[in-house]
Structure formats: structure tokens, C-alpha cells
Amino acid sequence: MVLSSSLVTIALALCSALGSNAAPPTAKPTTAVGKLPALGWNDWNADGCSISEAKVVAAANAFVSRGLKAAGYQYVNVDDCWALKNRDSSGRITPDPAKFPNGIASVATQVHNLGLKMGIYSDAGTNTCAGYPGSLGHEDVDAATFAGWGIDYLKYDNCNVPSNWTDAASPPGGNWYNSNSAIRYRQMTAALDKQSRPIQFNLCIWGQANVWTWGSQVGHSWRMTGDASATWSFILMAINTNSQHLSSVNFYSHNDMDMMEIGNGALTTQEQRTHFAAWAFLKSPILLGTDLAKLTAAQIAIITNAELLAFSQDPNIGVPAKPFTNAGSPSTSTPEYFAGKSSKGTHVFVINTGGSTSTRTVNFSSVPGLGSGTFTVHDMWTGKDIGKFTNSYKFSLASHDTAAFRLT
Ligand SMILES: *[C@@H]1O[C@H](CO)[C@@H](O)[C@H](O)[C@H]1NC(C)=O
Ligand SMILES: *[C@@H]1O[C@H](CO)[C@@H](O)[C@H](O)[C@H]1NC(C)=O
């Protein structure tokens, strides 16, 4: 008795020396939000560190005036550089008064008054990527601060990780959920769970630590790659990477292919169509990453396409379209043929990854769940039926464009 109680005392003393929570938290993300891929905007690709209340409120107003809210876009998300470099005397992150003179809560109220939701950014390290305060070790105070401001979405980045938090080559028991990376994110999941306000949680972990194997136990979406760029090579790489991990995607569980670059750089119209269509049919979050006021009418038409958004946001079917082998088509380094179901039927998406316009033939018997026979082919881009076709449908597809069909 004496021996065992002193062992208990030693064990308790060790526990408190190691911190109050020796076992990492296992809290799961809320199911009050995050069922479908988030639709919204994030300032980073347009503004980098020069963010301000004026820019965020302008973006929120543009959601309404440019028809984005009506199309389903909801989240107005602030990225890095919104804070002061030092926490206040009570340990709270403080908005930079030069950028947000009325604080973040006031911006969130303005966003909410437009019927939209407000997102913010922090980091699972000592500092954010741009050197502002990170939330590692401050999860509870920061989650409470964000909830108190009326935040609805948290993008949680992966910069400035202390050396004792890096991962071994293989995590304990081979389970990446128990890696140090996952535990850094799990600490924030637990802190968010303590708040009365549900907050959608995005793990901006750049595809590290096999995040697709554990992401849905920790957050609602997780970044699969490094940062997007407005290039065709990035779009292909993101499609290729995500195509290998589509069994992780379902309700409350989304591979994040990063922000849209439509409006930035020199992507062709066809490349912009592929960028949007692939993010929609693979059920990635779609966060517009440009100055919304500068989008052309043609770009607005792409990003508000009702049928592609309906596929992304289908309330009954959570799984994405997946690559299939189309009989008669050559194999390509990035898959070109994808098929999936929606509440309205079977859909086929065809990407021309080649450098010139070419003829494509969808073989109905190759499409999972379809088979040979006669089907009405409907063009999701135009919203019109093309006609009835038996066994296959042949069409011309421009370089880097994506065709989107429903077959019934
Ligand atoms: C790293 O060190 C900090 C500070 O001592 C400590 O709080 C934390 O638990 C350590 N992390 C790991 C994974 O051991
Ligand atoms: C479609 O695929 C099937 C099975 O591989 C094949 O028998 C048929 O000839 C193909 N049809 C066309 C039009 O290529």
C-alpha cells in the first residue's frame, strides 16, 4: 500500500511536470459545420500581407454585387498578417490597428450582416509564415478569442514548427494520427471544441504527415500541396496529387487543393475552366483568391456555373468524381477522364491535358455505373442537352479545357 501510493504520487508529480495534458487530445471536429466543401474567398493571392478592413469589407460587398453570394459563396477569409507582432499583456493576439482600426469583431459583424461568414488565419507553430504570433501552446486563448469575435472558419498554417515538434521518419505505431504534426493540429481541434461557436477547421499542412489518412478526425479540410500559383503546371499537379487520395473525400472530409487563381496571372480561359471544374468535381474547398472587383463577366460565369457548384455542394452525395480508364484513350501522366454521381445522375468530366485541340470519345461502357446503351448527354457548362447518343459520345475539346457532362 505504502509503496503503490508513493508510486502514484511520483506518477502524478511527473504528469504535472510534463504539463496538464500528458495524453494528446482526441476531440473530433464539430459536425455543426463543414459538411460540404467551403465556398468563399481568401485575400492572400490578391493582397499578400497588405490586408485591411477596407479590402475585406469590399470583398464581402462584392459577394453580393457580383452574384457570388447568390451562387453559394459564403466564407470571407482573412489570411496572414492581420495581427500585431506581439500578444497583448494578457496573452491575446491583437489585430493590427493600422489594418483593422475597428478590430476583427467589427469586420465579422459587417460580414455577418451581409448574410456571409467570416474566416481567420493562424498557425500551428510559434509564428505564422509571415512572422506574426502562432497559436502553438496558445490554442485555448486563441480559439476563445476567435470565437468571441464571431469567427466561422480557421485556416491553420504550418510554419515555424519548433524542432521538438517535428516528425520522426515513421510516427508512433505507424499511425500518422499520432505524429507530432497531427498532435499540433489536434490541440487546436480540442480548443475549438470548447467554444460554443462552431468553427470550420482547415489544416493548412501542405500534404505533409499523410494528412489525408487522419485529416477528417481533426478538421474539415486539409491542404494537399504547397501554395497555389497561377500556372497550368500547378493545376495539373494539384489534380494529379488529389486524384491519388480521393477515398479520403466525403461529407465533413475534404482534400483542399488551395485557392483559386482565376483572375491572377495569364491562365487561358480553358485553363480557368479546368481549374474551377476540377476543384468542383474533386470536392475541394473553392476559395476565390483574387480582387473580386476585377473579375471579368466571363470569369464570373465560370465560377458561378450552377451545375458544377451543385455537383460540389450535393447534399446527398459526398464522394467526388474519380478517374476511370476510358477504353480507347491513351494513358496520360495526369488522369483525363473522371466520373461520379450526383443527385441528378452520372457525370463525366474530360480534361484535355494535351497542347492542341483534339477529338475525345467517351465510351459509355467504360463509365462506372453506366454501361452501354443510349443516354441523353447534357452539357453542364451551358446547362443544355446536347442529344441522345448510343454507346459513346464523340466531341472536340480545346487544349487544357474540361468538358462536363451529365448522362441520363
Ligand atoms: C516541445 O517543448 C515544449 C516546451 O518545453 C513543450 O511544451 C512541448 O510539449 C514539447 N513538444 C513535444 C512534442 O514534446
Ligand atoms: C467501348 O469499350 C468496349 C469495352 O472495352 C469496347 O468493346 C467498345 O468497342 C468500345 N466502344 C467504342 C465506341 O470505342
Side-chain angles (χ1 to χ4, degrees), residues 35-37 249-251 253-254 283 312 314-320:
K35 177 180 173 182
L36 302 174
V249 179
N250 210 324
F251 293 133
S253 180
H254 298 107
K283 305 216 182 201
S312 151
D314 197 297
N316 305 309
I317 295 177
V319 295

Side-chain angles (χ1 to χ4, degrees), residues 327-328 361 363-366 391-392:
T361 305
N363 185 330
F364 297 163
S365 66
S366 299
N391 293 342
S392 65

Side-chain angles (χ1 to χ4, degrees), residues 315-376:
N316 305 309
I317 295 177
V319 295
K322 292 181 179 159
F324 68 93
T325 303
N326 184 59
S329 296
S331 76
T332 46
S333 52
T334 299
E336 292 195 328
Y337 291 82
F338 292 78
K341 301 258 186 242
S342 78
S343 297
K344 294 195 160 172
T346 298
H347 298 255
V348 171
F349 306 94
V350 184
I351 306 171
N352 180 356
T353 64
S356 57
T357 298
S358 70
T359 296
R360 300 302 163 111
T361 305
V362 175
N363 185 330
F364 297 163
S365 66
S366 299
V367 178
L370 210 57
S372 57
T374 301
F375 293 90
T376 297

